[in-house]
Amino acid sequence: MKKNNIAGPSSKRMLPLSFLFLILFCPFFTQAEDGINAKFTGAFTQGGLVIGKTNPNYLVTIDKRHVRISKHGQFILGFSRNAPPIQKVKISNDKGNYRIFKMKVEQRSYKVSRITGLPQKKVTPDSHDIARIKLDNSKILAVRRLDSPLNGFLSKFIWPVKGRISGVFGSIRILNNIRKNPHNGVDIAAPMGTPIIAPANGIVRLTDDNMFLAGKTIMIDHGHGLTSIFIHLEKILVKPNQIIKKRDVIGTIGMTGRATGPHLHWGLTLFEKHLDPKLVITKNKQ
């Protein structure tokens, strides 16, 4: 995982850009006279995941959302594909004091991905298929709204399968010459039937054998609103509510749903925010 750490005080003075750049790439721990302190580690870029640590009795807020804090003081933050250059995190204590931590978020450029040869009904579905897609999405969104106390995100992510990266996070997708939503995960090409392993600890929250676009699908809850989705599978080898440990086999590579060849689409979300799975891999080890 990229070790970019940054925090700023609640003062209205803006930090010099040179200073922001320096601390973006250095471990950083802050402590104020009022005792409000925090440490942040992760990828301070669009699509990045950041793990924070502070007093477990504090209140952490970002984007007007209260963030779950574990009994040991860990919490997680995520920056969406289009996150602004500066994100502010508010941490308050029980005395009414607070600090505003200003984080500089690296802005990214995204590739254009052109895919042809897809069945046209998978690109421009009819009204019946749109109804199916809405039902599928409602199941996925229900899992993404979970805010469980699990701490699987601390187990250090690994790649769920070895293979060629055939699709990257955030790319602008043009399918059969029709512009669609940006790609919200990574695609890993591998032979049909290749085992897929859990990239981190968690609990299976959803399995589905026949989603219209996703095909055979698994969703794993890693805790605090962080979930993984695995789609286009050939086989599903786990069940809902099953406790999963990192490296457990959960399924096999397939090409179900909207796919032109055998591969795994792995998506990572923090509630409604799509994150770049590649950025959470520890030292890019399998």
Side-chain angles (χ1 to χ4, degrees):
M1 179 181 290
K2 192 176 180 181
K3 299 295 183 180
N4 296 347
N5 308 299
I6 177 171
S10 58
S11 168
K12 294 182 179 179
R13 293 182 297 105
M14 294 296 293
L15 293 173
L17 290 178
S18 59
F19 182 68
L20 284 171
F21 180 82
L22 174 63
I23 60 179
L24 180 64
F25 294 96
C26 300
F28 199 89
F29 183 84
T30 67
Q31 182 162 352
E33 294 180 359
D34 58 15
I36 298 177
N37 55 74
K39 182 179 181 179
F40 303 89
T41 304
F44 290 78
T45 183
Q46 290 174 326
L49 178 73
V50 169
I51 297 177
K53 187 169 185 181
T54 191
N55 187 312
N57 297 315
Y58 289 168
L59 180 66
V60 178
T61 306
I62 185 172
D63 297 331
K64 299 181 180 180
R65 181 198 291 271
H66 295 323
V67 177
R68 175 183 287 276
I69 304 178
S70 74
K71 64 181 180 180
H72 299 297
Q74 293 107 343
F75 59 93
I76 53 179
L77 308 171
F79 305 124
S80 66
R81 178 186 186 275
N82 298 316
I86 297 293
Q87 290 268 265
K88 296 179 181 180
V89 179
K90 181 180 178 180
I91 301 184
S92 311
N93 64 16
D94 57 2
K95 298 178 182 179
N97 299 320
Y98 68 89
R99 298 189 73 198
I100 302 294
F101 295 83
K102 297 178 181 178
M103 299 184 177
K104 185 175 184 295
V105 180
E106 180 184 356
Q107 305 292 283
R108 298 172 63 177
S109 297
Y110 297 102
K111 296 181 178 180
V112 176
S113 175
R114 297 179 183 273
I115 301 174
T116 58
L118 290 165
Q120 196 59 35
K121 68 175 298 184
K122 297 289 185 178
V123 178
T124 54
D126 59 26
S127 58
H128 173 74
D129 293 330
I130 289 173
R132 280 191 60 194
I133 293 169
K134 288 181 177 179
L135 179 60
D136 293 343
N137 288 343
S138 68
K139 296 176 184 178
I140 292 171
L141 288 173
V143 175
R144 288 176 175 165
R145 293 190 182 107
L146 296 176
D147 187 6
S148 74
L150 300 174
N151 64 357
F153 60 89
L154 295 175
S155 59
K156 297 184 179 180
F157 282 82
I158 59 174
W159 286 106
V161 69
K162 293 182 179 180
R164 176 178 60 86
I165 302 299
S166 57
V168 297
F169 172 83
S171 60
I172 300 166
R173 295 183 305 162
I174 300 176
L175 308 181
N176 291 2
N177 298 316
I178 299 174
R179 184 174 177 131
K180 308 297 283 187
N181 292 330
H183 194 233
N184 55 25
V186 293
D187 290 339
I188 309 166
M192 186 76 76
T194 302
I196 300 165
I197 62 174
N201 297 347
I203 293 179
V204 177
R205 297 297 189 187
L206 173 70
T207 63
D208 195 297
D209 284 327
N210 189 28
M211 287 193 169
F212 182 77
L213 296 177
K216 294 183 185 295
T217 299
I218 296 171
M219 293 188 74
I220 294 179
D221 174 11
H222 303 295
H224 291 222
L226 188 68
T227 56
S228 282
I229 188 169
F230 311 88
I231 69 175
H232 307 312
L233 278 60
E234 176 198 38
K235 293 180 181 179
I236 295 173
L237 302 177
V238 292
K239 297 179 180 180
N241 301 316
Q242 182 175 336
I243 296 173
I244 295 295
K245 295 295 184 182
K246 184 168 68 173
R247 295 189 176 86
D248 285 350
V249 176
I250 60 173
T252 60
I253 291 286
M255 53 180 294
T256 55
R258 186 169 69 186
T260 57
H263 73 281
L264 171 68
H265 171 98
W266 172 29
L268 189 69
T269 55
L270 181 61
F271 297 110
E272 75 284 359
K273 294 179 180 178
H274 295 291
L275 307 179
D276 188 347
K278 186 176 181 180
L279 296 178
V280 302
I281 300 298
T282 302
K283 296 182 179 179
N284 288 334
K285 287 185 178 180
Q286 294 280 358

